[in-house]
Amino acid sequence: MHFKWNYEQPQPAELLAAKELGEKVGISPVLAHLLIQRGITTESAAKRFFRPQLADLINPFLMKDMDVAVDRLNDAMGRKERIMVYGDYDVDGCTAVALVYKFLQQFYSNIEYYIPDRYDEGYGVSRKSLEYAAEAGVKLIIILDCGIKAVDEIAYAKTLGIDFIICDHHVPDEVMPPAAAILNPKRNDDAYPFKHLCGCGVGFKFMQAFAKNNGIPFSRLIPLLDFCAVSIAADIVPVTDENRILAFHGLKQLNQNPSVGLKAIIDICGLGEREISMSDIVFKIGPRINASGRMENGKESVNLLVERDYPAAHRMAQHIDEYNEQRKDIDKQMTEEANNIVSRLESQKHMSSIVLYDEGWKKGVIGIVASRLTEIYFRPTVVLTRDGDLATGSARSVTGFDVYAAIKSCRDLLINFGGHTYAAGLTLKWSDIQEFRQRFQAYVEKHIQPEQTEPILNIDAQIDFHDISKKLYNDLKRFAPFGPCNPKPIFTTLGVYDYGTSKVVGREQEHIKLELVDSKSSNVMSGIAFGQSASARYIKSKRSFDIAYTIEENVFKRNQMQLQIEDIRPSEE
């Protein structure tokens, strides 16, 4: 795939500001300009960015209902009530449940956790779970990463004598559930300064407030920060402000002293010998935690995350790894089927959205398929499967387009829906799919911008090979953790040539291993271009070309840098 490159040369005033900031902070003007692009313009702001401090976490009691939630939890523990920690079956929900359960279990024993079965109970609060809770004598449910839409279910729970504390981050409706407390920074009446916590992050803030109220040292929470890092990466929330602090220290915990369950997953992934990054969580750790909820029941992942015995955890991680292999096979098959449908549907070719459905698709994998189709076709995508008389599905979006708002515009057709800007879930009658498709498409067509439907590569800086040094790479690492709103910088170098040793590699000869020189230095830079073997013939033709890339460490040759090539184009373009 070739991208449209988006790059603006910095103006003289910007270059001067970058030079001055770089001198104060001790980094190159190129990297100082990257800071300025991120809104970091002073020496003190740069130091806070490079060295996030746990002391700078926001006071949790600034969140609406936090005092009420802590009081209700204290009352439950004082009265020795049975408490249930309940969460969604995805990575965010499972890590949130593990964090809250592990922390409270240190101080209170009359507690259990519950993850609904995706296939038997569906998303959020189920009647089955409430009836189980009532039979078990549960009086308080702490629900994480879901619950904000469960108005009827939580009203029913009240009739059973069960209170709820909701810890959610999805967009609330105008009418909220009759819970004892609702912790959600996206509430319209909440003045909490940071709105983009994930579900696990809201759970962490609740435990931070509980600890503060009960005189428990903050240091007791630090071992749980690895769960925060995993959820922030996997749930694709902005890695800025409070999320940056939690992710930074969570990654530190994950690399130095991870919980037993996460250590088992790390070893199964083959990540034990190197420094784990946010992308390792997104592509290796997160999918395995997700796999049990997609294929069977997410409770297996929580069992692993709270396990204290390493040999037992390792066996559980192997089992979940098998789920992940099954998931990959189904995902590949469903994506191929969906691709075939898109290619056959002439009516969809000129549309700005995709809505697909199939009675046989597995409910647990349709979100991944929606993501794949969004990446391939650059259009907001909804993928649905059948559940009795209902269609249940997942939506994914392209950069800058609010798919939640698009789904909400069809709310009179929907039995249930929830989510946020880039990902949402929905349920409707199977018979209403065609009308939903038409109305969803009409909304997207009216609101989407043309540039949102084409592959765009945002270039951060233009440099030459002589600018790439060990110091530049080490300074660049200080910009981590990377993620939304703090992406890994992409550089471009113009007019490069094959050194003569570049070659096609990979099982299917789909990648290019490159050795390159540019016209301004004698440096030979090695690089890898995944899935871009179509450019090999041009590269070997001795003509010049431009590259867009990130700077990485070569995992096979420690302390050596290599370029990860995102795109290649002939220089004359």
Side-chain angles (χ1 to χ4, degrees), residues 331-485:
D331 162 18
K332 185 179 178 186
Q333 178 192 334
M334 283 171 56
T335 302
E336 285 174 2
E337 289 173 9
N339 258 324
N340 289 336
I341 293 169
V342 174
S343 63
R344 288 201 307 271
L345 285 176
E346 288 295 322
S347 61
Q348 295 234 356
K349 284 191 175 173
H350 305 295
M351 288 186 174
S352 45
S353 69
I354 295 171
V355 178
L356 294 181
Y357 54 95
D358 188 284
E359 294 190 17
W361 284 341
K362 195 168 178 70
K363 194 192 291 188
V365 186
I366 51 179
I368 300 176
V369 175
S371 295
R372 298 264 191 276
L373 293 174
T374 304
E375 290 165 8
I376 294 166
Y377 296 102
F378 288 89
R379 287 182 271 177
T381 299
V382 178
V383 179
L384 300 155
T385 188
R386 189 161 191 157
D387 185 4
D389 293 332
L390 303 179
T392 181
S394 290
R396 296 293 183 269
S397 194
V398 293
T399 303
F401 182 79
D402 188 345
V403 76
Y404 177 83
I407 288 170
K408 189 177 180 181
S409 73
C410 308
R411 66 180 306 157
D412 57 301
L413 293 174
L414 305 177
I415 293 164
N416 199 1
F417 72 101
H420 39 81
T421 305
Y422 293 119
L426 64 158
T427 303
L428 66 158
K429 289 180 182 174
W430 186 260
S431 56
D432 285 340
I433 289 177
Q434 294 303 335
E435 187 177 349
F436 170 79
R437 174 189 264 169
Q438 289 166 11
R439 284 173 50 185
F440 181 79
Q441 162 61 20
Y443 181 95
V444 174
E445 190 146 344
K446 183 178 178 182
H447 292 89
I448 202 162
Q449 302 301 311
E451 62 271 17
Q452 291 173 327
T453 61
E454 57 184 340
I456 292 177
L457 201 60
N458 291 311
I459 309 286
D460 291 277
Q462 182 181 316
I463 59 174
D464 298 317
F465 285 170
H466 65 70
D467 297 314
I468 302 173
S469 64
K470 194 66 181 173
K471 177 171 172 23
L472 181 103
Y473 174 69
N474 287 334
D475 287 341
L476 201 53
K477 284 204 294 187
R478 296 167 67 197
F479 280 71
F482 298 113
C485 302

Side-chain angles (χ1 to χ4, degrees), residues 188-262:
N188 288 331
D189 58 350
D190 195 333
Y192 193 74
F194 184 63
K195 300 296 182 186
H196 302 292
L197 291 168
C198 58
C200 186
V202 178
F204 179 84
K205 299 305 294 185
F206 183 23
M207 292 302 96
Q208 185 190 0
F210 171 80
K212 194 171 185 179
N213 181 261
N214 287 280
I216 300 165
F218 181 83
S219 58
R220 298 285 292 270
L221 284 159
I222 291 174
L224 301 167
L225 286 169
D226 52 3
F227 293 135
C228 289
V230 169
S231 63
I232 288 165
D235 220 52
I236 318 181
V237 290
V239 186
T240 55
D241 300 312
E242 193 160 39
N243 278 347
R244 181 172 173 82
I245 298 170
L246 292 171
F248 180 90
H249 289 278
L251 276 175
K252 193 173 171 184
Q253 187 70 25
L254 195 64
N255 279 290
Q256 293 176 2
N257 189 22
S259 64
V260 170
L262 286 173

